[in-house]
Amino acid sequence: MVVDGQVGAGSGEPETSDSLRTFGAVVQALREFNGLSREEFGGQVGFSKHTVASVELGRRMPDVDFVEAAERALGNTGALRRAVEHLVRQPGLAAWFRRWASMEKVAIGLFNYECRMIPGLLQTEAYARQLFADELPPLTDEQIEANWTARAERQRLLWERPNTAFNFVIEEHILLRQTGGVDVSREAIQHLLQVAEVRNVEIQVMPLVQPSHAGLHGPIALLETPKHKWFGYSEGQESGHLIADPKGISILQNRYARIRSQALAIQDSVSLLRRMRGDL
């Protein structure tokens, strides 16, 4: 089972990797073939020469804007777009999730509809550890620790990016399931109520009874970059897919907008969470 981009058994790469170094070497070779210094190339792609150096030396995971700008500057061969799909770096995160996680760090808007579990950015440690403990094949203690460390690092976004708009729509049945037991569930709901008090975070609950539902195709993740580009992410059992096609993004945006309208209003969602907490 994939748990919000987390690795399963047998995973866990070092902080840098051969794939990052190889990608960087390709960028450097193409740059030098085109007769560009790092400073000249940086000027063309909109990044500093220091950022270019970090990518070329395999110390930095290139973001989508870097890859697209580099492609245009270096001949539009498609080599970088294909190569970036195979990059791995951060321990505790599945390889297919790492590009999305790197984009989360700079997004000005993050939107998530979840029907399987509390979203990773909102999970308590006890709730997350229960998910990791339920993984099959089973994880080692070291893998569980790496998973939680990576998740806790991601969660810093909620507190360190006050200018980013966060919206979460969560199915009521996720909370009724009582993952981890009563105490874990009560703590999880209390945490949701605390996060909901943050000015730039909105949490909505999709009621258990909903005759018309636009989210039946499954979870939706959307983000907006500082350059106002939109991307989506779809995750399955053992894979994830970054969505950049405008048509696909438009479909997800329309579905998400309908889901938000069908979910309880923000204050009504908070009231429901308080009642659910009291019932435990």
Side-chain angles (χ1 to χ4, degrees):
M1 179 179 69
V2 174
V3 186
D4 196 20
Q6 227 65 31
V7 298
S11 301
E13 294 82 3
E15 185 61 19
T16 189
S17 66
D18 289 342
S19 65
L20 274 172
R21 287 188 287 268
T22 300
F23 180 87
V26 172
V27 173
Q28 181 174 352
L30 290 172
R31 172 181 63 76
E32 292 176 348
F33 179 80
N34 284 271
L36 298 171
S37 68
R38 282 176 174 165
E39 187 170 7
E40 291 169 334
F41 176 62
Q44 290 191 22
V45 298
F47 290 85
S48 71
K49 64 179 181 181
H50 304 294
T51 298
V52 173
S54 293
V55 171
E56 291 185 349
L57 295 173
R59 296 196 300 254
R60 178 186 176 112
M61 179 76 78
D63 60 24
V64 171
D65 289 335
F66 181 94
V67 174
E68 291 301 318
E71 277 284 8
R72 292 191 295 271
L74 300 176
N76 268 319
T77 64
L80 299 182
R81 292 191 187 97
R82 289 192 292 271
V84 78
E85 298 292 340
H86 303 286
L87 293 182
V88 294
R89 181 177 182 179
Q90 188 178 351
L93 293 180
W96 59 81
F97 187 73
R98 291 183 177 108
R99 284 188 69 199
W100 180 260
S102 68
M103 294 168 68
E104 282 184 329
K105 294 179 181 179
V106 297
I108 62 173
L110 280 165
F111 309 88
N112 186 277
Y113 161 68
E114 185 55 76
C115 57
R116 304 164 303 174
M117 68 197 80
I118 295 174
L121 289 175
L122 299 177
Q123 291 172 7
T124 62
E125 180 174 354
Y127 184 94
R129 286 184 180 276
Q130 181 63 51
L131 297 182
F132 303 147
D134 288 338
E135 272 282 4
L136 292 173
L139 303 181
T140 65
D141 290 344
E142 291 76 15
Q143 288 168 329
I144 289 175
E145 289 302 320
N147 282 358
W148 169 245
T149 298
R151 181 147 302 173
E153 176 67 23
R154 281 185 61 219
Q155 290 180 352
R156 292 171 56 186
L157 292 175
L158 291 173
W159 316 107
E160 296 181 353
R161 295 195 60 82
N163 297 121
T164 297
F166 295 90
N167 177 267
F168 301 92
V169 181
I170 307 170
E171 289 285 344
E172 181 181 356
H173 70 76
I174 291 173
L175 305 173
L176 293 173
R177 185 179 297 132
Q178 296 188 16
T179 297
V182 172
D183 291 341
V184 172
S185 297
R186 184 185 297 110
E187 180 190 36
I189 294 173
Q190 176 62 29
H191 182 63
L192 292 177
L193 288 167
Q194 291 173 343
V195 176
E197 295 178 358
V198 179
R199 184 172 58 253
N200 57 316
V201 179
E202 297 176 338
I203 297 177
Q204 295 177 255
V205 177
M206 180 69 78
L208 190 62
V209 177
Q210 179 54 264
S212 178
H213 198 321
L216 299 182
H217 290 278
I220 294 175
L222 290 163
L223 65 76
E224 183 181 8
T225 73
K227 294 185 178 180
H228 306 295
K229 295 180 180 179
W230 284 82
F231 294 89
Y233 177 74
S234 174
E235 187 171 81
Q237 288 283 335
E238 290 295 330
S239 65
H241 177 55
L242 185 69
I243 302 167
D245 173 62
K247 180 179 179 180
I249 293 296
S250 177
I251 291 172
L252 293 182
Q253 287 176 323
N254 285 329
R255 288 177 183 170
Y256 194 84
R258 180 66 62 84
I259 289 170
R260 290 183 71 175
S261 72
Q262 293 171 333
L264 296 176
I266 294 170
Q267 289 303 316
D268 292 336
S269 296
V270 169
S271 296
L272 175 60
L273 289 172
R274 287 173 177 162
R275 290 197 301 273
M276 296 179 74
R277 179 187 59 185
D279 290 340
L280 291 175

